[in-house]
Amino acid sequence: MTHKLSDPVAPAADPIDFDMFLKVDIRVGTVVEVEPFPEARKPAWKLKIDFGSGIGVKKSSAQIVEHYRPDDLIGTQVAAVVNFPPRQIGPFMSEVLTVGFPDEQGAVVLTRPDRPVPNGARLF
């Protein structure tokens, strides 16, 4: 039986060492702008996320329309991988990967701190 990455019952991935984990730079930022992304193959929002002075404001395409409206997102802190290369998604260049977990139907639930933290803070 094969599992999709978004499958909540998939077995754990192969072990990695701690140095490999440290290579993935996951930071927190505040959503400052949300726009529709009608050109996306799957429903998505175009986000601008402020990661503070060290990283700045970055763009992300996020397939989160099932659970989040633009008004819900503005001012919300979210987690994102900031050191992947930019990725062209249709006419939009996504600069960071906003991360979350699938709910039981596979819709994304955002990963975010339960208390405010400084923009740009790194996950460890």
Side-chain angles (χ1 to χ4, degrees):
M1 173 184 235
T2 59
H3 293 276
K4 298 186 309 183
L5 186 62
S6 62
D7 185 348
V9 296
D14 292 337
I16 61 171
D17 62 33
F18 191 68
D19 288 337
M20 289 180 74
F21 169 73
L22 291 176
K23 289 180 181 181
V24 180
D25 192 355
I26 302 173
R27 304 288 182 116
V28 69
T30 300
V31 177
V32 294
E33 188 175 311
V34 181
E35 294 181 5
F37 190 7
E39 304 90 352
R41 276 188 264 150
K42 294 183 180 179
W45 297 120
K46 293 191 279 189
L47 308 178
K48 285 190 181 174
I49 306 167
D50 182 0
F51 292 96
S53 61
I55 297 171
V57 176
K58 300 291 182 181
K59 298 181 294 183
S60 181
S61 169
Q63 296 174 359
I64 56 174
V65 299
E66 292 86 354
H67 292 303
Y68 305 97
R69 297 184 327 258
D71 291 345
D72 299 330
L73 294 166
I74 299 291
T76 297
Q77 289 191 301
V78 297
V81 177
V82 299
N83 66 331
F84 285 152
R87 184 171 178 204
Q88 189 75 42
I89 302 174
F92 184 74
M93 183 63 74
S94 187
E95 299 172 305
V96 298
L97 175 66
T98 305
V99 296
F101 295 97
D103 66 12
E104 289 183 1
Q105 288 74 43
V108 177
V109 176
L110 289 170
T111 302
R112 50 191 180 175
D114 64 353
R115 295 192 171 127
V117 297
N119 283 338
R122 186 172 181 167
L123 177 76
F124 59 85

